[in-house]
Amino acid sequence: IFEPGSEILISRSAGDTIKYLEDVSEEERRSIGAAARNKVMTKHTAAHRAQELENYYHDAAARHLKEAAIIRE
């Protein structure tokens, strides 16, 4: 969902977390947070979720029809 380094910082250890806290400036942390928030606000809307659900439905229906056609053969 998020682009590591520009929208999220991923810690794999306590040392990573300490490194981020010590080495990443407040300005950069705020920029990363703003980028993540922007993605959430633009990509995770109700309309986006509805479209995603509709796509899942169409994919499932297509698979069902394909499977039914194979069974009939």
Side-chain angles (χ1 to χ4, degrees):
I1 293 175
F2 295 109
E3 185 67 33
S6 63
E7 296 170 332
I8 191 169
L9 299 174
I10 299 172
S11 291
R12 290 183 171 79
S13 67
D16 285 349
T17 302
I18 291 169
K19 180 178 173 251
Y20 289 141
L21 292 171
E22 292 177 345
D23 297 347
V24 179
S25 70
E26 182 175 349
E27 180 180 346
E28 189 175 356
R29 289 191 307 266
R30 287 183 181 273
S31 176
I32 291 168
R37 183 181 189 283
N38 183 55
K39 181 171 269 187
V40 168
M41 299 304 286
T42 58
K43 302 286 185 183
H44 299 280
T45 63
H48 179 264
R49 292 294 182 205
Q51 183 63 55
E52 193 173 53
L53 182 59
E54 191 173 314
N55 291 344
Y56 291 147
Y57 170 79
H58 288 296
D59 290 348
R63 280 192 305 274
H64 176 73
L65 290 173
K66 184 177 179 180
E67 290 170 6
I70 291 171
I71 291 170
R72 288 188 195 124
E73 291 178 354

